[in-house]
């Protein structure tokens, strides 16, 4: 009872502020909260469209889509962890080197010591966790700035990689291991023109996504906040449906869902939930927003920061494994500049340099913007020199746009 | 007096979802001290930000005339060039630069980019003399108390050849002594022909220094009252501010005091960096169930340091002392430990230690007790918003919804959010550090009522305040502190401003005899 009363009251308050909102103003207001993320989604769509035209439709061909996912999987994995670290108000420069180190360690274990690949993977992830915990310890408990600690880590793990591999590439890997990067969901059921499991999975995703949207809308309304007018909301659902259907059909008409995509999906859902709904996620935002206030509210900030870095270590290890599996070798050159791509993805996707802001989904969107740019530009034959220039400008533009927007909204 | 130095005509300013100012008029005569009063969120700070160019021309409606000429400031620099200088509610000094460097920051004595230290230091010394601050220009800001920092801000304004000085709640963080000095300085500047706009919730100060007062309510000008030689009564201002007479400023209560709930014994704290310095020296005090106990003291007496140190050793280095709850010793070595034992500390510095300014009201309120709105580690957003909404109503927090960012709230409303956060944690012992700093009269009365209710529920409440009338009106018992020591303990019935003041200013030597 009391609950509905409060809600009704705040709904009234909300309505008072603007008696007759036009569709434009509602849309503008709905967007304002998430300008960066919506903006980036629109930018992503535009970039896709642009390259789709530019490459005469190659970009969205089933084969290329699959490639795109497999090529960018490891950066996206890193971007998720990096986003969390940045939300907590820190940075991690060591992830590229750590990924290389873990890839090398896995290679040595599997190729030279003939360790079964699942065991080697597990050990590799533990190594990642330990490396992350090591850095987290210096940062959280000894108070050394993360920039310094992870810069040291970058050198340390890079050197470690070279020592482990003694300058050589170590290859080849067992088939099972390779499939984490180049494998697909198995084929089951009757023979159709499409990959059956992929169709089922796509359907499941669609149902869950639509249900989530409906639930979110109901909840927002119950808080007394404005929701999109029904027409616009239906349009949004239509766009989501179309996107999921097209994407599913594209994948299903080739080999189906790549394993990397499954890993990414699980990470996105898991970490998205963690950051949005869990206490520790909330504490991470609080620390990034105002560490002193968070501490005085009883947030164990040292532990949270320590865990953020440990988690980053695990994800860096995972990325290193996926990358090694893709190359089918552990090499000393692996992971160079990965940290920069991951950091760029996080900032394009809505992180703030001072911490406290950002979402896991944002990191993925940011990573995809970079990934599509990479892939598209390679397809149309832009050299890596110009690719870098363009990516640099995109990063600057994305963050600049955001800062401009915030300033306009009143600091 | 001469014609107006400043005229602001029908100023309107909106933020997304909030109309902060609508058609506000303000006229300041040359050479007068003009007070601006109003409840929290009335729009006082916003009006001053419009005037000083923080909100540039074009982001508001209306007209500003300074010395008869229309002004369209595009930023603070532009208004400063015309001689309008604002000193914000939160001071804006760089802690690790010296006094002299701060005074001339952005306005350096330099030739071709090279700073002339000679001119900087001599000029700074001269300005410091003018504001009556006896410090070397080379002292670091971080080593000065808030009162002295405030004087440095004024020296900085003088360096810019100020004609109209705007002070936004300049005395909110000052004790009576420092406040008096500051007000005297304002009168002195007035004698030199500098006009001044002063925003304050301390109405007795306004009655003392102002020549006229303009009252804002809900973003509108209610009235401007000229104050003649006969002065003005505080009640007159309050009537304008809240639109009615405010009868009981302090709640009537019959305290129901039980056994000792919270006790600190021989608590000693050293300075975090300079470990030779003892900041709190063997302090002992106790609070009973249902009792409101005050701590009076001058700035730097060690009150905040004592409280923060007891609360999870959040300040300095602990070097002795015990905390007892209901007669049993408890460990409060970390903040979570202190919270678990039911101790809460409401900070005096909401921006730095109280709020996550980039997050919304609901999440700020729930932060110290997230477990209460969570199950299996999952935060229930719905429950969280419901809780926040009920605080928004009971505490009368002025904001469109509980999803408003706390950074956009007015100072007083931010304070209410911090207080809500700790009431939500349901502590047994509540330590309130300057709970009504920067809060308007009406809201103060509301907060006193809340405090009285908490005591009536059997909680032990400890209030640190620099406003003696507040302590006298609210507390059952008052401790005084000076130079890190407890110098006295007075029951409400025996306490007067004078007796407290004497204990607060007692030097260490004589306090030894007393205690
Ligand atoms: N940047 C901003 N964005 C949105 N709303 C704002 C912003 N700044 C101020 N407001 C709103 O404008 C109104 C007036 O705020 P203002 O700070 O001027 O009040 P005030 O009179 O100075 O109050 P106090 O005595 O508490 O300092 C408040 O409702 C506040 O929430
Ligand atoms: Mg204000």
């Amino acid at each position: 009872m009391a609950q509905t009363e409060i809600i009704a009251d705040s709904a009234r308050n909300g309505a008072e502020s603007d008696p007759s909102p036009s569709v434009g103003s509602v849309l503008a207001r709905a967007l304002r909260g998430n300008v960066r993320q919506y903006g980036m989604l629109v930018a992503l769509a535009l970039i896709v469209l642009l390259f789709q035209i530019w490459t005469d439709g190659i970009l969205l061909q089933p084969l290329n889509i699959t490639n795109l996912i497999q090529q960018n999987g490891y950066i996206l994995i890193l971007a998720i962890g990096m986003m969390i670290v940045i939300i907590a108000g820190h940075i991690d420069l060591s992830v590229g080197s750590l990924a290389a180190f873990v890839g090398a360690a896995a290679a040595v274990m599997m190729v030279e010591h003939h360790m079964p690949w699942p065991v080697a993977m597990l050990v590799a992830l533990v190594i990642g966790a330990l490396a992350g915990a090591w850095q987290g310890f210096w940062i959280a408990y000894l108070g050394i700035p993360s920039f310094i600690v992870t810069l040291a880590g970058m050198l340390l793990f890079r050197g470690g990689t070279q020592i482990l591999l003694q300058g050589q590439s170590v290859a080849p890997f067992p088939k099972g291991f390779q499939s984490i990067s180049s494998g697909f969901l198995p084929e089951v059921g009757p023979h159709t023109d499409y990959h059956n499991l992929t169709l089922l999975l796509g359907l499941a995703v669609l149902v869950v996504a639509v249900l989530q949207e409906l639930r979110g809308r109901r909840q927002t309304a119950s808080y007394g906040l404005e929701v999109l007018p029904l027409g616009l909301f239906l349009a949004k659902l239509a766009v989501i449906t179309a996107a999921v259907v097209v994407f599913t059909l594209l994948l299903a008409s080739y080999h189906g869902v790549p394993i990397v995509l499954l890993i990414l999906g699980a990470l996105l859902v898991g970490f998205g939930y963690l950051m949005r709904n869990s206490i520790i996620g909330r504490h991470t935002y609080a620390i990034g927003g105002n560490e002193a206030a968070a501490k005085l509210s009883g947030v164990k900030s040292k532990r949270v920061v320590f865990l953020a870095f440990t988690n980053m270590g695990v994800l860096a290890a995972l990325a290193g494994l996926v990358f090694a599996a893709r190359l089918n070798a552990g090499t000393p050159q692996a992971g160079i500049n990965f940290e920069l791509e991951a950091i760029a993805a996080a900032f394009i996707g809505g992180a703030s340099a001072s911490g406290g802001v950002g979402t896991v989904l944002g990191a993925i969107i940011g990573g995809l913007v970079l990934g599509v740019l990479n892939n598209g530009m390679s397809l149309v034959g832009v050299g890596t020199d110009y690719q870098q220039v363009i990516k640099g400008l995109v990063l600057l533009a994305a963050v600049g746009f955001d800062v401009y927007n915030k300033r306009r909204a009143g600091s | 007096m001469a014609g107006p130095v400043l005229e602001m005509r029908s100023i309107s300013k909106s933020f997304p979802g909030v109309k902060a100012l609508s058609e506000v008029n303000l006229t300041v005569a040359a050479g007068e001290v003009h007070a601006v009063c109003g409840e929290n969120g009335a729009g006082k700070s916003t009006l001053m930000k419009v005037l000083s160019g923080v909100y540039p021309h074009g982001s508001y409606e209306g007209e500003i005339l300074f010395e008869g000429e229309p002004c369209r400031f595009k930023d603070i620099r532009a208004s400063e060039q015309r001689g309008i200088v604002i000193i914000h509610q939160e001071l804006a000094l760089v802690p690790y630069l010296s006094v002299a460097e701060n005074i001339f920051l952005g306005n350096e004595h330099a030739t071709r980019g090279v700073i002339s230290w000679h001119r900087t230091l001599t000029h700074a010394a001269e300005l410091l003399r003018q504001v009556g601050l006896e410090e070397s220009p080379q002292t670091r800001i971080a080593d000065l108390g808030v009162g002295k920092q405030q004087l440095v801000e004024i020296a900085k304004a003088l360096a810019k050849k100020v004609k109209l000085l705007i002070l936004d709640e300049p005395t909110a963080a000052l004790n009576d002594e420092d406040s008096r000095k500051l007000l005297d300085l304002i009168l002195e500047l007035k004698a030199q022909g500098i006009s001044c706009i002063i925003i304050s919730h301390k109405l007795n100060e306004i009655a003392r220094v102002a020549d006229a007062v303009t009252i804002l309510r809900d973003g509108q000008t209610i009235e401007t009252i000229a104050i003649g030689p006969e002065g003005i009564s505080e009640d007159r201002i309050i009537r304008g501010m809240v639109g009615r007479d405010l009868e009981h400023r302090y709640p009537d209560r019959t305290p129901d005091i039980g056994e000792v709930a919270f006790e600190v014994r021989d608590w000693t704290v050293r300075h975090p960096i300079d470990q030779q310095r003892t900041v709190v020296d063997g302090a002992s005090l106790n609070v009973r169930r249902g009792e409101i106990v005050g701590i009076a003291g001058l700035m730097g007496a060690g009150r905040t340091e004592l409280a923060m140190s007891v609360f999870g050793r959040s300040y300095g280095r602990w070097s002795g002392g015990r905390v007892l709850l209901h007669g049993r010793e408890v460990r409060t070595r970390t903040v979570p430990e202190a919270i678990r034992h039911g101790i809460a500390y409401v900070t005096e510095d909401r921006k730095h230690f109280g709020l996550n300014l980039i997050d919304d009201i609901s999440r700020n309120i729930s932060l110290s007790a997230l477990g209460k709105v969570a199950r299996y580690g999952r935060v229930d957003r719905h429950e969280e918003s419901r809780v926040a909404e009920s605080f928004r109503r009971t505490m009368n927090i002025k904001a469109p919804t509980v999803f408003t960012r706390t950074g956009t709230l007015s100072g007083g409303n931010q304070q209410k959010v911090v207080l809500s956060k700790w009431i939500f944690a349901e502590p047994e012992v509540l330590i309130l550090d300057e709970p009504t700093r920067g809060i308007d009269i009406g809201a103060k009365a509301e907060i006193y009522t809340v405090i009285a209710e908490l005591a009536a529920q059997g909680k032990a409440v400890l209030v640190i305040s620099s406003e003696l009338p507040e302590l006298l009106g609210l507390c059952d018992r008052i401790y005084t502190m000076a130079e890190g020591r407890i110098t006295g303990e007075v029951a409400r019935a025996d306490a007067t401003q004078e007796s407290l003041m004497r204990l607060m200013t007692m030097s260490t030597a004589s306090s030894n005899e007393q205690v």
Side-chain angles (χ1 to χ4, degrees):
Chain A
M1 261 322 286
Q3 187 167 324
T4 43
E5 196 184 296
I6 289 169
I7 286 157
D9 180 70
S10 52
R12 227 171 297 132
N13 277 341
E16 262 164 26
S17 59
D18 189 351
S20 60
S22 69
V23 173
S25 77
V26 171
L27 198 61
R29 216 170 314 157
L31 290 176
R32 195 182 295 124
N34 295 312
V35 187
R36 181 82 152 270
Q37 230 170 69
Y38 276 106
M40 274 308 118
L41 258 180
V42 172
L44 180 59
L46 285 180
I47 291 170
V48 168
L49 196 71
L50 185 75
F51 280 108
Q52 175 69 358
I53 296 167
W54 209 344
T55 58
D56 295 325
I58 297 178
L59 184 81
L60 287 186
Q61 269 179 9
L63 169 68
N64 192 54
I65 287 286
T66 306
N67 268 338
L68 210 137
I69 293 165
Q70 292 179 336
Q71 270 168 11
N72 289 290
Y74 37 90
I75 296 295
L76 294 177
I77 294 173
L78 289 176
I80 292 175
M82 190 63 76
M83 186 56 120
I84 296 170
V85 166
I86 292 176
I87 289 172
H90 290 271
I91 195 87
D92 192 338
L93 300 175
S94 71
V95 295
S97 297
L98 182 55
F101 180 74
V102 170
V108 170
M109 285 187 284
M110 285 183 294
V111 178
E112 292 179 2
H113 299 285
H114 307 289
M115 203 183 268
W117 68 267
V119 181
M121 263 187 83
L122 212 64
V123 176
L125 291 176
V126 172
I127 293 175
L130 289 176
W134 155 261
Q135 303 199 103
F137 170 76
W138 286 89
I139 294 161
Y141 293 102
L142 300 184
I144 316 240
S146 52
F147 189 89
I148 311 280
V149 172
T150 59
L151 187 62
M154 183 176 177
L155 297 169
L156 232 107
F157 301 130
R158 180 61 62 191
T161 311
Q162 282 157 1
I163 294 170
L164 262 183
L165 295 176
Q166 291 167 337
Q168 307 283 311
S169 285
V170 175
F173 296 143
K175 273 273 164 309
F177 182 73
Q178 284 180 41
S179 70
I180 62 166
S181 160
S182 51
F184 296 90
L185 265 189
E187 191 65 89
V188 291
H191 182 79
T192 54
D193 281 346
Y194 290 105
H195 188 270
N196 295 330
L197 262 185
T198 300
L199 291 179
L200 281 178
L201 203 64
L203 190 66
V205 168
L206 182 60
V207 169
V208 171
V210 169
L211 286 180
Q212 280 285 0
E213 280 296 322
L214 287 171
R215 213 178 63 129
R217 181 182 168 81
R218 213 175 42 235
Q219 251 173 20
T220 313
S222 76
Y223 296 151
L225 294 184
E226 235 171 284
V227 291
L228 286 178
L230 194 61
L232 276 176
F233 178 68
L234 290 178
K236 185 178 173 192
L237 282 188
V239 170
I240 292 176
T241 310
V244 174
V245 168
V246 168
F247 192 65
T248 306
L249 289 180
L250 279 173
L251 287 178
S253 62
Y254 189 57
H255 290 310
V257 177
I259 303 286
V260 193
L261 187 58
L262 285 183
I263 297 177
L264 271 174
L267 292 178
L268 172 61
V269 171
F271 280 106
Y273 184 85
L274 192 82
M275 293 307 285
R276 214 175 34 248
N277 294 319
S278 75
I279 290 187
I280 188 160
R282 184 63 66 75
H283 283 177
T284 314
Y285 283 102
I287 291 168
N290 183 347
E291 181 164 13
K295 272 187 183 161
L296 278 179
S297 302
V299 172
K300 295 175 180 160
S301 71
K302 290 179 183 168
R303 203 172 69 179
V304 173
V305 170
F306 175 78
L307 288 176
F309 276 94
T310 308
N311 175 61
M312 181 78 254
V314 175
L315 289 179
L318 184 59
L321 291 172
V322 171
F323 184 73
R326 184 172 163 73
L327 276 192
N328 194 15
T331 78
Q333 270 75 46
I336 285 178
N337 285 349
F338 280 13
E339 61 282 341
L340 301 183
E341 298 251 343
I343 293 169
F347 281 116
I348 291 176
S352 145
S354 48
V357 185
T359 61
V360 173
L361 181 62
I364 297 283
I365 295 174
L368 284 177
V369 166
L370 280 180
V372 173
L373 273 177
N374 274 336
N375 180 275
M377 288 192 293
S378 302
L379 286 178
V380 294
V382 177
T384 45
D385 40 4
Y386 283 99
Q387 285 191 20
Q388 301 220 23
V389 170
I390 289 172
K391 282 192 288 183
L393 290 175
V394 167
L395 173 62
L396 210 54
V399 178
F401 171 74
D402 187 57
V403 169
Y404 166 77
N405 239 307
K406 278 199 192 117
R407 191 158 307 154
R408 219 187 33 173
S411 41
Chain B
M1 241 173 239
V5 61
L6 172 77
E7 269 184 89
M8 298 181 80
R9 292 190 191 144
S10 15
I11 303 286
S12 297
K13 164 95 191 155
S14 316
F15 296 106
V18 190
K19 180 125 198 174
L21 297 174
S22 73
E23 310 264 317
V24 170
N25 295 306
L26 176 67
T27 306
V28 179
E32 80 171 352
V33 175
H34 196 109
V36 176
C37 289
E39 298 187 297
N40 295 126
K44 305 177 296 293
S45 299
T46 307
L47 185 64
M48 293 307 119
K49 286 180 185 168
V50 165
L51 172 56
S52 59
V54 173
Y55 300 131
H57 179 80
S59 70
Y60 59 88
E61 286 138 44
E63 212 182 356
I64 301 176
L65 292 172
F66 186 66
E67 297 180 319
E69 288 165 36
C71 296
R72 305 177 156 197
F73 300 128
K74 66 176 201 313
D75 55 20
I76 303 185
R77 274 189 102 85
S79 68
E80 285 180 348
Q81 257 152 26
R82 295 284 284 123
I84 301 177
V85 180
I86 183 167
I87 299 179
H88 288 283
Q89 212 162 342
E90 277 77 27
L91 298 182
L93 297 170
V94 185
Y96 296 115
L97 291 185
S98 71
V99 168
E101 285 167 311
N102 267 287
I103 290 179
F104 298 109
L105 193 62
N107 184 21
E108 285 82 2
H109 281 298
T111 22
R112 274 176 255 104
V114 179
I115 291 181
S116 157
W117 286 110
H118 178 71
R119 269 191 301 157
T120 302
L121 292 176
T122 47
H123 192 183
E126 187 189 314
L127 291 168
L128 290 183
R129 238 187 335 273
Q130 210 176 335
V131 299
L133 180 60
E134 289 162 15
E135 286 285 346
S136 151
Q138 281 168 310
T139 318
R140 278 192 327 171
I141 288 296
D143 299 332
L144 295 182
V146 195
K148 290 182 174 174
Q149 292 188 10
Q150 191 70 257
L151 295 178
V152 173
E153 282 273 19
I154 293 180
K156 189 172 162 184
L158 292 177
K160 290 171 186 155
K161 308 236 174 351
V162 59
K163 290 182 196 150
L164 174 63
L165 182 63
I166 305 168
L167 298 150
D168 195 349
E169 301 198 30
T171 57
L174 303 191
N175 58 36
D176 290 348
E177 174 72 15
D178 286 342
S179 301
R180 198 163 37 246
K181 273 194 207 148
L182 185 75
L183 297 178
D184 287 342
L185 177 60
I186 290 173
L187 291 175
E188 215 170 282
L189 295 178
K190 173 181 152 185
Q192 295 168 18
I194 297 173
S195 318
C196 179
I197 297 178
I198 177 170
I199 297 177
S200 177
H201 291 296
K202 298 186 182 170
L203 303 182
N204 56 343
E205 296 178 347
I206 289 173
R208 188 153 97 78
V209 297
D211 300 308
V213 48
T214 293
I215 295 172
L216 298 185
R217 195 197 306 155
D218 294 330
Q220 288 171 320
T221 321
I222 299 301
E223 56 182 336
T224 296
I225 314 168
I227 304 176
E230 71 282 2
I232 187 169
S233 74
E234 292 181 28
D235 291 338
R236 175 70 189 79
I237 304 178
I238 294 171
R239 205 179 322 138
M241 276 170 60
V242 297
R244 66 191 147 86
D245 285 313
L246 201 65
E247 282 172 11
H248 303 288
R249 284 212 222 162
Y250 298 102
D252 275 329
R253 60 189 199 99
T254 7
D256 173 17
I257 296 174
E259 78 285 10
V260 172
F262 172 68
E263 193 174 353
V264 176
R265 283 196 196 147
D266 303 321
W267 199 265
T268 302
V269 182
R270 293 189 197 284
H271 192 268
I273 298 162
D274 178 5
Q275 309 224 342
Q276 300 307 312
R277 232 164 86 198
T278 306
V279 183
V280 178
D281 192 359
S284 299
L285 54 79
N286 64 61
V287 189
R288 288 185 269 259
R289 272 174 61 85
E291 191 182 30
I292 304 177
V293 173
I295 306 183
L298 298 175
M299 196 58 66
R303 296 166 301 166
T304 295
E305 291 79 358
L306 168 64
M308 286 185 72
S309 169
V310 166
F311 185 65
R313 308 212 179 146
S314 306
Y315 169 87
R317 272 179 64 96
W318 173 84
S319 73
R322 296 188 292 158
V323 176
L324 289 81
L325 285 179
H326 303 289
R328 291 228 329 268
E329 185 168 351
V330 293
R331 298 206 319 180
T332 58
R333 289 205 262 171
T334 64
V335 175
E337 251 173 24
I339 293 177
R340 205 162 46 243
H341 288 302
I343 303 175
Y345 168 72
V346 181
T347 173
E348 62 173 340
D349 186 345
R350 53 184 173 253
K351 292 239 158 146
H352 292 116
F353 297 125
L355 292 172
N356 180 357
L357 294 170
I358 59 175
D359 215 338
D360 66 21
I361 295 174
S362 70
R363 293 176 201 240
N364 270 287
I365 290 180
S366 63
L367 186 63
S368 61
L370 260 183
K372 285 180 66 183
V373 291
R375 217 182 291 159
Y376 307 120
R378 174 184 189 277
V379 181
D380 183 346
R381 277 298 277 151
H382 198 80
E383 179 63 16
E384 185 179 46
S385 325
R386 209 183 57 74
V387 165
E389 181 60 35
S390 77
F391 274 108
R392 188 175 76 92
R393 291 168 137 212
T394 55
M395 302 287 290
N396 209 355
I397 299 170
K398 201 169 163 245
T401 71
V402 295
F403 305 107
T404 308
R405 276 199 309 148
T406 53
T408 68
L409 298 181
S410 78
N413 285 301
Q414 290 179 340
Q415 182 67 16
K416 292 181 190 172
V417 175
V418 180
L419 206 53
S420 305
K421 164 161 105 175
W422 286 107
I423 294 176
F424 175 57
E426 291 189 284
E428 285 291 301
V429 179
L430 196 62
I431 308 175
L432 303 166
D433 199 348
E434 306 285 0
T436 61
R437 170 176 296 174
I439 286 194
D440 69 62
I441 295 271
K444 264 186 189 170
E446 287 167 22
I447 285 181
Y448 296 143
T449 310
V450 172
I451 294 174
E453 271 167 22
L454 291 168
Q457 289 164 21
K459 301 193 188 310
V461 183
L462 191 60
V463 179
I464 297 173
S465 174
S466 297
E467 283 180 54
L468 294 180
E470 173 170 295
L471 290 175
L472 291 168
L474 192 66
C475 300
D476 302 312
R477 204 152 46 94
I478 301 170
Y479 287 99
T480 55
M481 270 186 94
E483 296 174 15
R485 289 161 184 265
I486 302 276
T487 54
E489 176 188 349
V490 202
R492 159 147 67 175
D494 311 328
T496 61
Q497 294 216 30
E498 291 70 34
S499 67
L500 289 177
M501 200 44 138
R502 211 170 42 247
L503 289 167
M504 282 156 58
T505 49
M506 185 175 281
S507 77
T508 319
S510 55
S511 74
N512 281 339
E513 301 157 27
Q514 170 83 23
V515 176

